[in-house]
Amino acid sequence: MPKLTNLELTALADSFPYPNSPDHKIIASSLYQFTSHDLKANLGYLLPFVVDALRDLNDLFVVSDADQRVSIRPEFDTVEKRSKMMNDLALKWRIDNKFRILEGWRSELYPIYYPSSEIYFTIERSASAIFGFVTYGVHMTAYVAASDSKPLRIWVPRRSRTKATYPSMLDNTVAGGIGYPYGVFDTLIKECGEEAGFDPDLIKEKARSVGNVSYYYIRTSSAGGESGFLQPEVQYCYDLEVTEDTPPPRPVDGEAEDFYLWDLERVKEELAVGNYKPNTALVTLDFLVRHGVITPENEPNYLEITSRMHRHLEHPLR
Amino acid sequence: MPKLTNLELTALADSFPYPNSPDHKIIASSLYQFTSHDLKANLGYLLPFVVDALRDLNDLFVVSDADQRVSIRPEFDTVEKRSKMMNDLALKWRIDNKFRILEGWRSELYPIYYPSSEIYFTIERSASAIFGFVTYGVHMTAYVAASDSKPLRIWVPRRSRTKATYPSMLDNTVAGGIGYPYGVFDTLIKECGEEAGFDPDLIKEKARSVGNVSYYYIRTSSAGGESGFLQPEVQYCYDLEVTEDTPPPRPVDGEAEDFYLWDLERVKEELAVGNYKPNTALVTLDFLVRHGVITPENEPNYLEITSRMHRHLEHPLR
């Protein structure tokens, strides 16, 4: 298999074409916007078979074929009403086996924002991709800095072979979705304990907020459930510098099968052969950019990569 | 004066509205694209008075009002022909006092790329904004890391009061445009010596490539010359960690009047009162994001800021 370039790796995570591109016109022509009850905000893009599923629910939604738009009915005018309506619907679909993606039911709520920074409603995590909603997570890269005798090395977990999504693929040291009502850093501390056994005090003292990646993913079969759902995502990124003496990460909750301490040559090799989960590859590329490993001199597609991993998403955001 | 938020600072540098926004439609409706001789690439946006200046040059350009497009005539089919034609025109305009921006003539060539990564032609630096071409620079932030007794501090220069552009404003430790035929890191080393007296060996050993910012600027009067030119820009960013013992930066070529070693409280204060040059403010915000000072917890517009400072520019790039 030919090796993947860093731009190809980026495009695996940021797979929805940009507006203005010919591909975008073709794909977007079949999509409907899912809008707020006041019609002002596009909360996500719907595939045609989802529009069909919403079409008969006249008491919940208004479908406008002329505008390629499905809106929440105006009477759902509070967070509570919208949250109840959306979750009752997701639960009904789950019982009816309407969408395979709901087999991955998480019993975890994700907040949807509108206006930006304000929660508009919450919805069961596994249902959010059906509507194309923006979702949020935290990713942390733990690394041992270079010393005189050894190069910089990263702690890389392999996902459990029994996980429903991306089994056995490589991941960032710690990664998890931000569920309601948790904050960004709270989620990081929680995931660091659950997935890798890191001491909360270590994280509070040493984990450094270093930016975020954002991208527009089109789900594939490896993500579980139906292919094709639009999934705009934001991952808040943290670096954790550890030493040889820091207790190493260890599998706790079974999400990770094992952790490896790899130098960057090995990390780049594993990236290039496609062994990383797409969005964790993107976070790793961001790490390599920030740490001066991928540079304007050695990466011909540098600017395309750095802008696409910080994609401006056309929806209200957290 | 009310203090500027970080999003307002971002918007001072990234001031051209995004496609899909109502403001973009209004502004873009009066703009023409300046395209390659094969009509395939939009190299920049032209203001109406620039289109008028090009309209009579039938032997050089084709103006299509129906498409709101000005293209280079197909007979300019080599880099050499295009470079000569564009520079002869710029020189004629300078002699005729056609555009005030050419009073800042630099005798320095900027490369314009098409396809991406390939030089399509070069043009006198001060003329590039007339055509809305993407330009490139390097910015470096030199800092003394936090110690037990002192917080992290940044070396901040004040621009000379006699500079034509942004006199007396604050800047990044070292900043400069990437002229033809210099590379990114070569330019950094050159500017570090010329502007701040940094030893080339120090830069080669310690300067770390940490990413880039990109943004779409609408020139204001402080930039010198006419207001309103569209100026998409990329700045490659470097961090330089120095110690109390490192010879401090010092004014060499008169670009900087003085250098201050300021803690981040002072830096944030100077940002908020608008004392930074707009694009150097953006680079400083990126530094603060990467160093965990601006975080998802303390910055309500975090995602808007991080995506806008990595704007996807709709033109072929370096």
Side-chain angles (χ1 to χ4, degrees), chain B residues 55-75:
Chain B
R55 201 175 279 284
D56 300 328
L57 305 169
N58 294 320
D59 47 339
L60 309 181
F61 306 106
V62 181
V63 179
S64 167
D65 291 306
D67 299 318
Q68 296 196 197
R69 185 180 67 206
V70 178
S71 55
I72 297 178
R73 289 202 72 94
E75 47 268 40

Side-chain angles (χ1 to χ4, degrees), chain A residues 18-20 117 136 183-186 208-214 234 236-239 288-297 300-304 306-308 310-314 317-318, chain B residues 18-20 117 136 183-186 208-214 234 236-239 288-297 300-304 306-308 310-314 317-318:
Chain A
Y18 271 74
N20 294 340
S117 311
Y136 304 84
V184 179
F185 200 70
D186 296 338
R208 180 164 113 176
S209 171
V210 290
N212 69 279
V213 297
S214 52
V234 171
Y236 296 96
C237 300
Y238 292 81
D239 280 2
L288 298 176
V289 166
R290 289 185 292 98
H291 286 259
V293 179
I294 295 175
T295 71
E297 264 82 18
N301 301 301
Y302 191 81
L303 297 175
E304 181 78 3
T306 58
S307 64
R308 287 183 64 172
H310 296 99
R311 183 157 176 166
H312 191 262
L313 302 171
E314 54 192 298
L317 295 179
R318 188 175 183 285
Chain B
Y18 271 74
N20 295 340
S117 311
Y136 304 84
V184 179
F185 200 71
D186 296 337
R208 180 164 112 175
S209 171
V210 290
N212 69 279
V213 297
S214 52
V234 171
Y236 296 96
C237 300
Y238 292 81
D239 281 1
L288 298 177
V289 165
R290 289 185 293 98
H291 286 259
V293 179
I294 294 175
T295 72
E297 264 81 20
N301 301 301
Y302 191 82
L303 297 175
E304 180 78 4
T306 58
S307 64
R308 287 182 66 172
H310 295 99
R311 183 157 177 165
H312 191 262
L313 302 171
E314 55 192 298
L317 296 179
R318 190 175 183 285

Side-chain angles (χ1 to χ4, degrees), chain A residues 3-74:
Chain A
K3 296 208 174 166
L4 295 163
T5 66
N6 291 330
L7 180 57
E8 287 167 337
L9 282 168
T10 304
L12 286 178
D14 185 46
S15 43
F16 186 45
Y18 271 74
N20 294 340
S21 76
D23 287 349
H24 185 274
K25 284 205 183 66
I26 295 165
I27 295 182
S29 67
S30 71
L31 301 175
Y32 279 45
Q33 295 187 5
F34 186 82
T35 74
S36 52
H37 71 289
D38 61 7
L39 308 182
K40 286 184 185 165
N42 172 10
L43 304 178
Y45 283 109
L46 305 169
L47 294 176
F49 65 86
V50 179
V51 176
D52 288 340
L54 300 174
R55 201 175 280 285
D56 300 327
L57 304 170
N58 293 320
D59 47 339
L60 309 181
F61 306 107
V62 180
V63 179
S64 166
D65 291 307
D67 300 317
Q68 296 196 196
R69 184 180 68 205
V70 178
S71 55
I72 296 178
R73 289 202 71 94

Side-chain angles (χ1 to χ4, degrees), chain B residues 31-287:
Chain B
L31 302 175
Y32 279 46
Q33 295 187 5
F34 186 82
T35 76
S36 52
H37 70 290
D38 60 8
L39 309 182
K40 286 184 184 164
N42 172 11
L43 304 178
Y45 283 108
L46 305 169
L47 294 176
F49 65 85
V50 178
V51 176
D52 289 341
L54 300 174
R55 201 175 279 284
D56 300 328
L57 305 169
N58 294 320
D59 47 339
L60 309 181
F61 306 106
V62 181
V63 179
S64 167
D65 291 306
D67 299 318
Q68 296 196 197
R69 185 180 67 206
V70 178
S71 55
I72 297 178
R73 289 202 72 94
E75 47 268 40
F76 295 97
D77 55 2
T78 68
V79 175
E80 290 68 28
K81 288 181 197 170
R82 288 185 290 267
S83 298
K84 180 174 188 318
M85 181 271 281
M86 293 295 285
N87 281 290
D88 286 351
L89 176 60
L91 197 55
K92 179 177 185 314
W93 279 345
R94 182 193 184 193
I95 293 165
D96 295 347
N97 294 316
K98 183 83 181 169
F99 297 107
R100 287 204 318 282
I101 195 172
L102 297 178
E103 291 167 18
W105 193 269
R106 304 287 285 252
S107 296
E108 185 182 350
L109 293 175
Y110 266 2
I112 310 304
Y113 295 87
Y114 169 65
S116 285
S117 311
E118 290 184 26
I119 294 180
Y120 185 56
F121 57 81
T122 59
I123 187 169
E124 151 64 24
R125 174 171 176 168
S126 60
S128 59
I130 296 173
F131 297 90
F133 296 146
V134 184
T135 61
Y136 304 84
V138 291
H139 281 233
M140 189 182 75
T141 307
Y143 67 100
V144 179
S147 64
D148 290 342
S149 61
K150 287 181 178 162
L152 186 151
R153 285 159 297 157
I154 294 180
W155 280 109
V156 180
R158 186 179 300 285
R159 295 164 69 88
S160 160
R161 71 190 74 185
T162 61
K163 264 194 87 95
T165 60
Y166 310 98
S168 298
M169 295 192 86
L170 300 172
D171 211 324
N172 295 124
T173 318
V174 170
I178 303 175
Y180 177 82
Y182 299 101
V184 179
F185 200 71
D186 296 337
T187 302
L188 181 70
I189 292 172
K190 182 168 74 71
E191 295 287 337
C192 279
E194 289 174 5
E195 290 191 356
F198 280 123
D199 181 348
D201 290 337
L202 173 74
I203 303 307
K204 283 179 200 162
E205 192 192 346
K206 295 277 191 191
R208 180 164 112 175
S209 171
V210 290
N212 69 279
V213 297
S214 52
Y215 50 92
Y216 219 123
Y217 184 56
I218 301 180
R219 283 174 77 98
T220 63
S221 57
S222 343
E226 294 82 354
S227 296
F229 287 134
L230 281 298
Q231 193 167 332
E233 287 193 314
V234 171
Q235 309 295 348
Y236 296 96
C237 300
Y238 292 81
D239 281 1
L240 178 73
E241 185 178 333
V242 295
T243 68
E244 303 261 7
D245 299 329
T246 309
R250 56 189 167 82
V252 177
D253 62 1
E255 296 270 315
E257 200 157 282
D258 204 355
F259 285 88
Y260 313 111
L261 186 59
W262 280 340
D263 65 25
L264 298 182
E265 289 313 306
R266 178 66 185 268
V267 168
K268 286 193 274 186
E269 177 66 22
E270 299 282 349
L271 283 167
V273 297
N275 285 346
Y276 271 77
K277 180 171 173 251
N279 68 352
T280 61
L282 199 65
V283 171
T284 303
L285 292 179
D286 173 62
F287 180 93

